[in-house]
Short mmCIF file of all heavy atoms in Angstrom, two decimals:
data_model
loop_
_atom_site.label_atom_id
_atom_site.label_comp_id
_atom_site.label_asym_id
_atom_site.label_seq_id
_atom_site.Cartn_x
_atom_site.Cartn_y
_atom_site.Cartn_z
N ILE I 4 80.95 106.37 90.13
CA ILE I 4 80.61 106.48 88.72
C ILE I 4 79.36 107.35 88.60
O ILE I 4 78.25 106.88 88.74
CB ILE I 4 80.35 105.10 88.09
CG1 ILE I 4 81.51 104.16 88.41
CG2 ILE I 4 80.15 105.20 86.60
CD1 ILE I 4 82.83 104.56 87.83
N ALA I 6 77.96 108.85 86.12
CA ALA I 6 77.08 108.64 84.97
C ALA I 6 76.18 107.44 85.19
O ALA I 6 75.11 107.36 84.61
CB ALA I 6 77.90 108.49 83.68
N ALA I 9 75.66 103.27 105.21
CA ALA I 9 75.74 102.70 106.81
C ALA I 9 75.75 102.99 108.41
O ALA I 9 74.82 103.11 108.38
CB ALA I 9 76.02 102.76 107.42
N ALA I 18 67.45 92.33 150.87
CA ALA I 18 66.30 92.09 151.74
C ALA I 18 65.15 93.04 151.44
O ALA I 18 64.00 92.73 151.69
CB ALA I 18 66.72 92.24 153.20
N PRO I 25 65.16 100.27 135.05
CA PRO I 25 64.48 100.96 133.96
C PRO I 25 64.85 100.35 132.62
O PRO I 25 65.98 99.91 132.42
CB PRO I 25 65.02 102.39 134.08
CG PRO I 25 66.34 102.24 134.78
CD PRO I 25 66.15 101.09 135.73
N ARG I 42 62.07 100.80 100.92
CA ARG I 42 61.70 100.98 99.51
C ARG I 42 61.32 99.64 98.90
O ARG I 42 61.66 98.57 99.41
CB ARG I 42 62.84 101.63 98.74
CG ARG I 42 63.22 103.02 99.26
CD ARG I 42 64.33 103.63 98.43
NE ARG I 42 64.86 104.85 99.05
CZ ARG I 42 65.84 105.58 98.53
NH1 ARG I 42 66.42 105.21 97.38
NH2 ARG I 42 66.26 106.66 99.15
N VAL I 57 65.01 87.34 108.21
CA VAL I 57 66.22 87.47 109.02
C VAL I 57 66.05 88.51 110.12
O VAL I 57 66.30 88.23 111.30
CB VAL I 57 67.43 87.82 108.12
CG1 VAL I 57 68.63 88.22 108.97
CG2 VAL I 57 67.80 86.64 107.23
N ALA I 89 74.63 83.72 103.53
CA ALA I 89 74.84 84.41 102.26
C ALA I 89 75.89 83.68 101.42
O ALA I 89 75.73 83.51 100.21
CB ALA I 89 75.26 85.85 102.51
N ASP I 108 74.56 89.38 95.70
CA ASP I 108 75.12 89.86 96.96
C ASP I 108 74.15 90.72 97.76
O ASP I 108 74.37 90.96 98.95
CB ASP I 108 76.38 90.69 96.70
CG ASP I 108 76.10 91.92 95.84
OD1 ASP I 108 75.56 91.74 94.72
OD2 ASP I 108 76.40 93.04 96.27
N GLY I 117 68.47 95.36 108.05
CA GLY I 117 67.31 95.04 108.88
C GLY I 117 67.72 94.68 110.29
O GLY I 117 67.05 95.05 111.27
N GLY I 128 64.95 95.09 128.65
CA GLY I 128 64.48 95.31 130.01
C GLY I 128 65.59 95.38 131.02
O GLY I 128 65.38 95.04 132.20
N ALA I 137 76.61 100.54 121.11
CA ALA I 137 77.51 100.75 119.97
C ALA I 137 78.46 99.57 119.81
O ALA I 137 78.78 99.16 118.68
CB ALA I 137 78.28 102.05 120.16
N THR I 167 88.89 90.87 99.52
CA THR I 167 87.83 91.69 100.11
C THR I 167 86.96 92.31 99.03
O THR I 167 87.43 92.58 97.92
CB THR I 167 88.40 92.82 100.99
OG1 THR I 167 89.07 93.79 100.17
CG2 THR I 167 89.37 92.26 102.02
N THR I 194 86.80 78.80 99.55
CA THR I 194 87.06 77.92 98.41
C THR I 194 88.55 77.66 98.27
O THR I 194 89.39 78.35 98.86
CB THR I 194 86.51 78.53 97.10
OG1 THR I 194 87.21 79.76 96.81
CG2 THR I 194 85.02 78.80 97.22
N ASP I 199 99.29 75.06 89.50
CA ASP I 199 100.45 74.21 89.28
C ASP I 199 101.39 74.22 90.48
O ASP I 199 102.22 73.31 90.64
CB ASP I 199 101.21 74.67 88.04
CG ASP I 199 100.41 74.44 86.76
OD1 ASP I 199 99.47 73.62 86.80
OD2 ASP I 199 100.70 75.09 85.75
N ARG I 213 81.52 103.34 103.88
CA ARG I 213 81.36 104.43 104.86
C ARG I 213 82.73 104.93 105.29
O ARG I 213 83.57 104.15 105.76
CB ARG I 213 80.57 103.94 106.09
CG ARG I 213 79.13 103.55 105.81
CD ARG I 213 78.36 103.30 107.10
NE ARG I 213 78.89 102.20 107.86
CZ ARG I 213 78.31 100.99 107.97
NH1 ARG I 213 77.17 100.74 107.33
NH2 ARG I 213 78.85 100.04 108.71
N ALA I 218 88.01 105.14 108.91
CA ALA I 218 88.79 105.95 109.84
C ALA I 218 88.94 105.25 111.18
O ALA I 218 89.96 105.41 111.87
CB ALA I 218 88.14 107.31 110.02
N THR I 225 90.80 93.98 110.58
CA THR I 225 90.41 92.74 109.91
C THR I 225 91.62 92.02 109.32
O THR I 225 91.76 90.80 109.44
CB THR I 225 89.39 93.03 108.81
OG1 THR I 225 88.21 93.63 109.39
CG2 THR I 225 88.99 91.77 108.06
N GLU I 254 95.32 98.31 89.88
CA GLU I 254 95.75 99.65 90.24
C GLU I 254 97.19 99.62 90.73
O GLU I 254 97.51 98.99 91.73
CB GLU I 254 94.83 100.24 91.30
CG GLU I 254 93.35 100.28 90.90
CD GLU I 254 93.07 101.16 89.69
OE1 GLU I 254 93.99 101.87 89.24
OE2 GLU I 254 91.93 101.14 89.19
N PRO I 283 99.82 99.09 113.37
CA PRO I 283 101.17 99.34 112.84
C PRO I 283 101.10 100.18 111.58
O PRO I 283 100.27 99.94 110.70
CB PRO I 283 101.70 97.93 112.54
CG PRO I 283 100.82 97.00 113.31
CD PRO I 283 99.49 97.66 113.40
N ASP I 305 95.15 84.92 79.90
CA ASP I 305 93.79 84.77 79.35
C ASP I 305 92.84 84.49 80.52
O ASP I 305 92.53 83.35 80.83
CB ASP I 305 93.75 83.62 78.34
CG ASP I 305 92.37 83.45 77.72
OD1 ASP I 305 91.52 84.36 77.87
OD2 ASP I 305 92.14 82.40 77.09
N THR I 315 98.14 102.95 85.65
CA THR I 315 99.24 103.66 86.31
C THR I 315 98.95 105.13 86.60
O THR I 315 99.73 105.79 87.27
CB THR I 315 100.51 103.59 85.44
OG1 THR I 315 100.22 104.17 84.15
CG2 THR I 315 100.95 102.14 85.24
N THR I 318 96.74 111.37 90.28
CA THR I 318 96.68 112.83 90.34
C THR I 318 97.49 113.27 91.54
O THR I 318 97.30 112.76 92.65
CB THR I 318 95.24 113.34 90.46
OG1 THR I 318 94.48 112.87 89.35
CG2 THR I 318 95.20 114.86 90.50
N THR I 335 105.44 111.57 90.88
CA THR I 335 106.82 112.03 90.82
C THR I 335 107.35 112.18 92.25
O THR I 335 106.57 112.30 93.20
CB THR I 335 106.92 113.37 90.08
OG1 THR I 335 106.08 114.34 90.72
CG2 THR I 335 106.49 113.21 88.63
N ARG I 356 95.26 101.45 102.52
CA ARG I 356 95.37 100.93 103.88
C ARG I 356 95.96 99.52 103.90
O ARG I 356 96.81 99.21 104.75
CB ARG I 356 93.99 100.94 104.54
CG ARG I 356 93.47 102.32 104.89
CD ARG I 356 92.10 102.25 105.55
NE ARG I 356 91.58 103.58 105.86
CZ ARG I 356 91.89 104.27 106.95
NH1 ARG I 356 92.71 103.74 107.85
NH2 ARG I 356 91.38 105.47 107.15
#
Side-chain angles (χ1 to χ4, degrees):
I4 310 296
R42 299 182 190 180
V57 169
D108 60 304
T167 69
T194 63
D199 292 341
R213 295 189 297 253
T225 299
E254 303 297 353
D305 181 14
T315 59
T318 301
T335 57
R356 289 180 181 276

